[in-house]
Amino acid sequence: MTSTGKVVDGAKCLVTNDRNDSVMRSGDTVPIRRSGANLNIECSQPGFAPANGQAVSRANVGMAGNILIGGLIGAAVDAGTAAGYNYPSWIQLIFGEVRSIDRSAQTGEGPTAGIRIGTTEMAAAPPAAPKAVAVKPPEEARPAPPVPAPEPPPVKVVAPAAPVAPPPSQALAPPAPQPKAGTRVSMDDLSGLLPTKP
């Protein structure tokens, strides 16, 4: 329940001891394996600090009867199977508090509230997730439109020039032999191309 006494049904509760653990909702019942260890309970509900409790395990009347009638053997069997222990049958927790609930304080079949032994606080709110930002996907690269090749410039046809007469000093010289493709040219061949000395 809340600190103002309002009953909260449907809170998520984790109930554990050394023999098992169970998850339940407040307002429901859950079977628990008996144990000589205490029973821990933690309930959570959005908007409230957790409600924690520890139910103290107590030896029941059957255990006392075994000790009186069956002696130590009966007590040892009950202790080994935990059949001789009980928890309070109806536990009441308060959000924002830690309580210790003892079966010896249970009266009748009503809820056992126990005693307050501490407080709890709400967990810090997790940091806010960054807001999602819509990102426009990049546009796909589009091929550039084809550019027509420039037209070649018009070709100017020029008539061959008339042969030029050699200067008079070279008029008497025989024409230089033209090398054939693939032949080697020697220095003598090159010197024949030079004008003669006067």
Side-chain angles (χ1 to χ4, degrees):
M1 55 181 22
T2 66
S3 57
T4 59
K6 181 181 177 186
V7 174
V8 179
D9 284 329
K12 182 180 178 181
C13 298
L14 176 64
V15 182
T16 61
N17 65 12
D18 62 340
R19 292 182 174 253
N20 69 332
D21 52 321
S22 299
V23 176
M24 62 173 295
R25 296 287 175 179
S26 63
D28 293 342
T29 60
V30 64
I32 299 294
R33 291 189 65 191
R34 295 178 185 195
S35 170
N38 292 340
L39 182 70
N40 296 304
I41 308 145
E42 181 175 350
C43 296
S44 60
Q45 177 81 349
F48 294 101
N52 290 353
Q54 186 176 68
V56 178
S57 176
R58 293 287 180 200
N60 62 26
V61 177
M63 179 80 135
N66 276 342
I67 293 173
L68 293 175
I69 298 168
L72 295 178
I73 296 174
V77 170
D78 278 355
T81 63
Y85 295 94
N86 280 338
Y87 297 115
S89 57
W90 185 358
I91 297 170
Q92 186 176 63
L93 298 178
I94 298 175
F95 286 102
E97 295 183 7
V98 180
R99 294 195 156 251
S100 176
I101 303 102
D102 196 327
R103 180 168 175 83
S104 62
Q106 181 173 327
T107 56
E109 293 301 316
T112 306
I115 58 169
R116 177 179 166 177
I117 59 173
T119 59
T120 61
E121 295 181 8
M122 289 183 68
K131 292 184 178 179
V133 178
V135 177
K136 184 179 178 183
E139 293 184 15
E140 292 183 20
R142 295 182 183 160
V147 178
E151 292 185 20
V155 178
K156 187 175 183 182
V157 179
V158 180
V164 179
S169 63
Q170 291 181 357
L172 300 176
Q178 295 295 320
K180 294 181 182 177
T183 59
R184 300 182 99 184
V185 178
S186 69
M187 288 303 286
D188 292 336
D189 293 335
L190 292 176
S191 64
L193 296 174
L194 295 175
T196 56
K197 291 184 183 180

